[in-house]
Amino acid sequence: MMFVVYMGCILLLLYYLYQKTYSYWSSRGVPFDKPFLIFGSFFDVATRKKHIFHVIRDIYDKFDTPYVGIYILNQPTLMVRSPELLKKILVKDFDKFVNRKVAVNESVDPIAAHTLFTAKDQMWRGLRAKISPVFTSGKMKLMVPLMKQCAEDLNAYLDQRAGETLEFRNVTKKYTVDIISSCAFGVSSYCLKDDNSEIMQVATKLLDLKSFVRSFSIFCFFFMPKLVDIFRLTLLDKVASDHFIKMFKSTIAERQNKNIVRNDLIDQLNNLKDNEKFTDEYKFDDIKMAAQALEFFAAGNDTTSLTISFALYELALNPTIQDRLRQELKETFAKHGDFTYDAIYEMKYLDMVVNETLRMYPLTTFLNRSTTTKYTFEETGFTLDEDVSILVPVAGLHFDAEYFPDPEKYDPERFSEENKNKIQPYTYLPFGDGPRNCIGQRFGLLVTKMALAYTVKDFAFERTAATAVPLGLDPASLFLENKTGLHMKVVKVKQ
Ligand code: HEM
């Protein structure tokens, strides 16, 4: 009898907690996705039943309202579906949505606190204004010779393995680690030449999403900021970060002692520091500069290497598209004698292939902002409280048949000169949008295009029994990754 009473009390308590925690949206008359106790809308993500990419698409597809209330654990979050409202959040009224809702604690994690991704308000503005000149097209052009060296190494790597079936996430990661080590740290990591490269191991450790500690830390930074303070968590692995900071400092010292100029990211950061004015809002010291280089590594490495491997995967599944791309690459190479910066940007079909790859594989799946003050949507009259998290469902928008007909089809034609202007603004967001979009977009696109140019011209990528079709995302991964990897056969093509 007492057992029944106890159980009854526990159930009542759970019901009370559920109502108290999850009445935020219903009490404000906002349509909402029915939450699970403790996990809110992300039960399937927490129990690893579904990848977050599919959960976002499912919620997006279930509603046709401009926005939907969801709960990430117990945190009320507004998923905004309407492109018109997204324009306001990302661009027009950006001042009211400057920050991402992520934890920052300078005393625990000084590196993360000085990165663009986590920085807030005035500090973000000062830092962004300072770093933006590093990524102009002029600066990118100067880095092409460094990138070309790594792209040629990638070509040589494939040449030695022609006829074999390779796992491409691993291959393209070696290439991007080589490029970012060279451009942001001024060192050659030789990942493509040496299977035991020390930098490859450290780079993998830096943001190793297969490690429980790292995944837990990242989850807390986004969704349970109090635990960041309690457990003194860092966003990036501490040992790997220290290794890179040491490397960064020694390169800076060497460049100053020997007057070396390479026109890479490290030179650009150093120039910014040397030309600082008294009036600059944000001033560099060694740690703050190293934090930028580390962020370039963390934000630019997996995103770019996965984009390249997904492009090769889709080319293997779509040989006609692959042949057309190779034709363009050969003609352009013959015209310019090399893949120069201008040659890369002249290739329209290459651009279409990369854009469609980023539509089908938007690596971050969602964008995040939060309200800096109360905000009223004029269209509906609904007022959002201060400090409410906003989720932009990139995965949902990219697969909405209204914006991208037959969305499961890989079709670069969507981005042809004629068609791309018909794409509704704020429905295609692989790099985000507005003043807080991806600062490394030009760098990431150039590195991706160089890799495709130097490989697809000389090699065919073929589907084999080992190629995962359908892809089947791994629910445990934060980025878009499948469990078995991306296997394709490499075949040398006749010149
Ligand atoms: C294909 C490659 C890449 C993709 C798909 C990608 C995607 C993104 C996305 C979606 C965001 C969030 C934008 C927003 O909230 O509106 C972002 C932010 C950012 N990305 Fe990238 N990225 C890529 C490559 C890079 C590279 C190569 C770098 C650096 C070298 C980089 C550095 C950053 C930084 C620093 C931010 C934070 C910007 C801020 O808050 O001001 N990314 N990226």
Side-chain angles (χ1 to χ4, degrees):
M1 179 63 187
M2 283 309 283
F3 176 75
V4 176
V5 173
Y6 282 141
M7 281 311 286
C9 290
I10 289 172
L11 287 175
L12 271 174
L13 182 69
L14 287 177
Y15 181 73
Y16 168 77
L17 284 176
Y18 182 88
Q19 288 299 333
K20 191 167 176 290
T21 313
Y22 296 127
S23 61
Y24 185 88
W25 294 120
S26 56
S27 66
R28 284 161 178 78
V30 172
F32 64 97
D33 186 57
K34 207 161 170 247
F36 272 82
L37 192 64
I38 303 175
F39 301 107
S41 312
F42 281 8
F43 179 77
D44 286 346
V45 179
T47 53
R48 303 201 160 173
K49 257 171 69 190
K50 278 188 189 169
H51 192 278
I52 190 165
F53 171 84
H54 291 299
V55 171
I56 288 178
R57 280 184 64 184
D58 288 351
I59 302 175
Y60 177 95
D61 289 342
K62 231 190 284 175
F63 294 80
D64 61 0
T65 47
Y67 40 72
V68 183
I70 62 170
Y71 296 90
I72 300 179
L73 305 182
N74 64 347
Q75 190 185 104
T77 298
L78 194 71
M79 176 190 277
V80 179
R81 299 177 70 263
S82 144
E84 288 78 20
L85 297 188
L86 287 176
K87 178 178 181 182
K88 292 196 164 170
I89 291 168
L90 296 173
V91 180
K92 239 179 118 222
D93 294 331
F94 173 73
D95 276 3
K96 319 253 177 0
F97 300 92
V98 178
N99 301 326
R100 294 195 180 94
K101 204 167 167 73
V102 332
V104 232
N105 183 334
E106 189 161 1
S107 67
V108 177
D109 191 350
I111 293 290
H114 287 279
T115 59
L116 279 173
F117 198 81
T118 57
K120 299 200 191 313
D121 302 310
Q122 275 314 101
M123 179 169 150
W124 172 77
R125 286 178 198 279
L127 187 54
R128 178 94 188 198
K130 186 159 197 124
I131 298 184
S132 291
V134 169
F135 291 97
T136 58
S137 32
K139 302 280 167 50
M140 292 301 106
K141 209 168 178 173
L142 295 176
M143 284 180 228
V144 166
L146 298 174
M147 294 179 184
K148 185 184 158 195
Q149 179 61 56
C150 301
E152 284 175 347
D153 288 348
L154 177 61
N155 184 296
Y157 182 94
L158 298 184
D159 201 33
Q160 284 159 15
R161 290 159 182 82
E164 291 177 30
T165 296
L166 303 175
E167 199 290 293
F168 270 86
R169 279 190 331 212
N170 188 28
V171 176
T172 57
K173 187 161 177 168
K174 286 172 190 267
Y175 162 75
T176 55
V177 171
D178 276 352
I179 288 202
I180 303 186
S181 300
S182 170
C183 291
F185 289 89
V187 293
S188 301
S189 53
Y190 298 119
C191 299
L192 282 162
K193 291 187 173 158
D194 172 8
D195 281 342
N196 298 314
S197 157
E198 191 192 358
I199 297 186
M200 183 74 178
Q201 289 164 25
V202 186
T204 305
K205 208 168 157 48
L206 187 70
L207 196 64
D208 182 7
L209 301 172
K210 291 196 179 77
S211 114
F212 171 75
V213 177
R214 196 67 11 241
S215 307
F216 178 71
S217 301
I218 293 168
F219 188 80
C220 292
F221 266 80
F222 276 96
F223 305 124
M224 293 190 285
K226 287 207 177 76
L227 296 190
V228 170
D229 296 346
I230 294 171
F231 293 122
R232 301 184 68 75
L233 300 173
T234 55
L235 191 59
L236 302 173
D237 179 83
K238 179 90 175 59
V239 176
S241 300
D242 288 348
H243 185 100
F244 279 119
I245 292 169
K246 216 169 123 198
M247 223 160 79
F248 185 87
K249 284 183 176 167
S250 97
T251 304
I252 291 274
E254 195 190 6
R255 293 213 178 165
Q256 279 162 354
N257 292 340
K258 298 188 183 159
N259 266 335
I260 301 170
V261 177
R262 271 177 101 229
N263 290 317
D264 52 10
L265 294 169
I266 204 166
D267 270 358
Q268 310 302 344
L269 289 172
N270 218 7
N271 289 344
L272 292 177
K273 183 166 184 275
D274 289 346
N275 295 319
E276 267 173 355
K277 295 190 203 71
F278 178 67
T279 48
D280 278 8
E281 275 193 50
Y282 189 93
K283 295 207 176 57
F284 276 146
D285 59 22
D286 282 357
I287 284 290
K288 290 179 190 168
M289 266 165 66
Q292 309 318 312
L294 258 174
E295 181 176 41
F296 299 159
F297 221 122
N301 189 19
D302 287 311
T303 45
T304 311
S305 68
L306 284 169
T307 303
I308 302 165
S309 48
F310 280 128
L312 294 176
Y313 171 76
E314 283 297 341
L315 292 175
L317 301 190
N318 297 279
T320 319
I321 296 175
Q322 186 177 160
D323 288 347
R324 185 167 160 200
L325 176 62
R326 185 168 302 110
Q327 187 60 32
E328 181 184 63
L329 292 167
K330 283 187 167 177
E331 283 167 16
T332 312
F333 191 84
K335 182 175 155 198
H336 290 264
D338 200 353
F339 289 123
T340 59
Y341 181 86
D342 293 337
I344 290 283
Y345 276 92
E346 190 181 297
M347 288 185 276
K348 299 229 162 32
Y349 199 64
L350 176 62
D351 192 52
M352 288 158 63
V353 164
V354 173
N355 285 337
E356 175 66 348
T357 304
L358 285 164
R359 181 193 68 83
M360 282 192 76
Y361 304 97
L363 299 168
T364 50
T365 61
F366 66 92
L367 313 176
N368 174 240
R369 298 286 186 274
S370 65
T371 44
T372 53
T373 163
K374 281 192 170 202
Y375 181 85
T376 303
F377 291 114
E378 284 164 10
E379 295 77 358
T380 60
F382 169 60
T383 300
L384 267 172
D385 291 330
E386 186 182 326
D387 201 27
V388 173
S389 177
I390 306 282
L391 184 145
V392 182
V394 179
L397 292 158
H398 283 197
F399 282 83
D400 187 331
E402 188 185 336
Y403 309 130
F404 300 99
D406 200 0
E408 304 294 338
K409 184 176 172 201
Y410 182 79
D411 182 9
E413 289 308 317
R414 302 175 201 275
F415 294 92
S416 69
E417 283 300 305
E418 189 197 346
N419 293 335
K420 70 178 177 198
N421 297 327
K422 295 183 204 150
I423 296 174
Q424 176 156 347
Y426 304 97
T427 60
Y428 178 65
L429 298 165
F431 293 100
D433 211 328
R436 201 152 190 175
N437 69 349
C438 173
I439 199 168
Q441 177 170 349
R442 282 199 187 99
F443 188 92
L445 284 174
L446 188 55
V447 171
T448 302
K449 289 180 176 181
M450 295 280 283
L452 294 176
Y454 278 91
T455 55
V456 179
K457 176 178 146 300
D458 295 337
F459 302 96
F461 296 88
E462 293 178 0
R463 174 180 174 168
T464 70
T467 313
V469 185
L471 188 64
L473 291 176
D474 176 4
S477 65
L478 184 70
F479 284 124
L480 295 185
E481 288 186 65
N482 68 333
K483 270 200 178 122
T484 52
L486 298 172
H487 293 84
M488 273 90 68
K489 185 174 173 187
V490 190
V491 178
K492 197 155 175 136
V493 293
K494 289 198 188 85
Q495 295 304 314

